[in-house]
Amino acid sequence: MPKKSGAWLIRYALEQLPVPFTFGIPGVHVTELYDELGRSERVRPVLVTHEGGGAFMADAVSRVAPDRIGALAIVPAAGAALAMGGMGEAYLAGVPMLVVSGGIRTDIPFHFQLHEIDQEKLVGAVTKGFWRVTRHAEIVPTIFEAYRTAVSGVPGPVFVEVPVNVQLFQGEVSTLPAFTPPPPSEAPDDALIEEAARVLAEAERPGIFVGWGAVDATEPLIEIAERLGAPVATTLQGLSAFPGNHPLHAGMGFSRAAVPAAERAFEDCDALLAVGTRFAEIPTGSFGVRVPEALVHIDLDPGVLGVNYPARVAIVGDSRVVLPRLLEALRAMGVDRRERREAVARQIRADKQAYRDEWYRHDSGTRVNPVRFFDALRAVLPDEAIVTVDDGNHTYLTAELFEVRRPRTLIVPTDFNCMGYAVPAAVGAKLAHPDRPVVAVVGDGAFLMTGLELLTARRMGVGVVCCVFHDGELSQISQGQEIPYNRKTCTVIGEVRLDGIARAVDARYVRLQGEPAALERTLREALAWAQGGDVVVVDVPIDYSRRTRFTRGVVKTVLARFPTGDRLRFVGRALWRRLRG
């Protein structure tokens, strides 16, 4: 073969993989790479305003399009550091991501070069693997290996560093290897499947708890739930793993931080099927759930099984492989509990309606009632529309009040819990699915972090709707401060002119009014603009005066764990400050 530059080889490798876009900002260590990407007919480079926003876009591509992978092309050191929020989010969420970074020159004897830092140490905590190539012949096989690592087992981000001199200059390459995909997941032991089916079949009041790891196994999951007559709760990240309009869907979590329908449906649960969840802090209401001894826990990661709650049956495996097998076993046993299924569904339906009625009665008449906003949003969106959510009070309002009906149609930051996710994630999701409506629901604090990525949406010609819950505070934390402290230290943002930001990014701007008919009419108009290619900022003067069940429940659970003396001190101080101001 004739000699090839390292940048050409990177481009070739990316073109053999399901990489539709690279996100990043060109710099001196990747100029040759960007020149190559600019000539590619398969990979489209996307200029972002911040590498953190680019990483959230890449994360979103992987989440909403499982047949593709989000990728970054970034400068070393500063670019990698700024992208680490998105890498961390993907790492803890189990989302594949391919990061290609430049590196300092390795062909000169000088130290203290621009961007000189040990990137392996820098990104080691938020990546599955790190590779630093030194020769041209290593580039293609290394990128292929990194991709296989990213999508195999528990998915996650991987990082490949290519020194700038290797990119710029030509080198010897004997062959261009063909990409070979990773092997399929292995099937679990038949005996474990049979034991799991027996535990569930013998239970009188089984329940099901699912996370993101079950998002591509919805169909067998539905039939398992129906045969068992089991209520289904989800994690925050896994809200789209089970349809919210199914009669057995109870809500997010099942602790006292969950909605009443979920808490009640699981209160006497005597066996639990948990799929694709680590029983992390958020979905368990700060570990406030009661998990029965008869726990069947299925997950790709053996390291999570039995860690927070001991499992009677622990199965390491892909839900897409394990759940159909479990369903076959239940069918063979003749399990089909119609009466329990109908009774559980009736109770869930009544409890859900009662909870929504509480929200309807909370209308202030001046600001937008969250339940009416989410009613209107659900009414105007088709089921396949994608909603991205950020980190904040609006996150838990979405979880409690918005009905998610299809897999991979709601994406949200979870365990890494990084603010600033929703807007760039909406851009990434829309690039991956230009034919589907995409709406970001974001608090004003998170919007201030990455809202300028709407410029990226404008530049790429993708129409997204950004609904900004506008109250002038970092409300989730300010509420957390207000309860024990009666103070709001560094959580009051002040007035933000969203119309000015919209004008700055050349977006349409509209402010919602509280009447239900006006909400639906305005959101429908915003979606029409976005479908025409416009970026739309919707100013939502939200009413946050009623706290979510999540906030109330977590405060109680956490406070109950305090040592007695400290608990009395916190409660006494809160009462005193309420009396004295």
Side-chain angles (χ1 to χ4, degrees), residues 91-222:
Y91 181 76
L92 289 188
V95 174
M97 182 185 297
L98 176 58
V99 183
V100 177
S101 165
I104 63 168
R105 294 188 66 162
T106 57
D107 61 335
I108 58 176
F110 302 107
H111 293 283
F112 315 116
Q113 296 182 45
L114 177 67
H115 293 324
E116 183 172 350
I117 194 170
D118 187 339
Q119 293 201 111
E120 185 172 10
K121 289 183 179 179
L122 178 68
V123 303
V126 292
T127 54
K128 283 186 69 180
F130 180 94
W131 294 262
R132 182 183 291 115
V133 303
T134 58
R135 298 183 300 111
H136 289 73
E138 297 173 351
I139 291 176
V140 176
T142 297
I143 290 176
F144 287 172
E145 181 186 356
Y147 170 80
R148 283 189 290 267
T149 300
V151 300
S152 300
V154 181
V158 294
F159 197 102
V160 179
E161 177 186 304
V162 184
V164 60
N165 52 292
V166 177
Q167 293 180 54
L168 287 167
F169 307 140
Q170 294 185 333
E172 298 285 350
V173 180
S174 58
T175 60
L176 291 176
F179 172 70
T180 55
S185 299
E186 294 183 5
D189 185 88
D190 288 340
L192 282 176
I193 295 291
E194 292 296 327
E195 185 181 359
R198 179 183 55 78
V199 168
L200 296 170
E202 291 177 356
E204 294 182 9
R205 297 173 300 278
I208 299 175
F209 185 43
V210 297
W212 182 258
V215 75
D216 293 322
T218 299
E219 289 189 11
L221 192 59
I222 289 173

Side-chain angles (χ1 to χ4, degrees), residues 64-88:
V64 303
D67 58 332
R68 287 164 275 175
I69 187 172
L72 297 179
I74 57 175
V75 296
L82 294 176
M84 281 181 67
M87 285 189 274

Side-chain angles (χ1 to χ4, degrees), residues 455-477:
L455 284 169
T456 305
R458 289 291 301 169
R459 188 183 308 114
M460 300 302 294
V462 294
V464 295
V465 176
C466 183
C467 297
V468 184
F469 279 21
H470 190 183
D471 74 320
E473 295 185 1
L474 304 175
S475 60
Q476 183 67 18
I477 298 302

Side-chain angles (χ1 to χ4, degrees), residues 3 8 69 75 85 92 98 111 119 134 143 214 229 242 246 330 372 414-415 450 460 470 535 542 550 555 561 566 580:
K3 290 183 177 182
W8 186 95
I69 187 172
V75 296
L92 289 188
L98 176 58
H111 293 283
Q119 293 201 111
T134 58
I143 290 176
F242 194 85
H246 190 280
L330 291 171
R372 298 200 183 278
T414 47
D415 292 347
T450 55
M460 300 302 294
H470 190 183
V535 173
I542 197 72
F550 180 83
V555 167
R561 291 203 189 97
D566 287 299
R580 296 294 299 270

Side-chain angles (χ1 to χ4, degrees), residues 363-374 376-377 468 509-523 525 537-543:
D363 266 333
S364 66
T366 55
R367 300 183 72 81
V368 175
N369 185 332
V371 71
R372 298 200 183 278
F373 169 83
F374 285 111
L377 185 62
V468 184
Y509 168 85
V510 64
R511 183 176 173 86
L512 285 188
Q513 303 300 319
E515 301 83 8
L519 291 174
E520 188 171 326
R521 182 174 60 252
T522 304
L523 288 174
E525 184 177 33
V537 174
V538 180
D539 190 341
V540 186
I542 197 72
D543 182 358

Side-chain angles (χ1 to χ4, degrees), residues 327-346:
L327 175 57
E328 289 176 9
L330 291 171
R331 286 173 178 166
M333 292 178 179
V335 177
D336 192 3
R337 297 175 177 169
R338 178 177 299 178
E339 289 186 6
R340 173 169 167 77
R341 177 169 69 242
E342 293 174 352
V344 169
R346 279 195 303 271

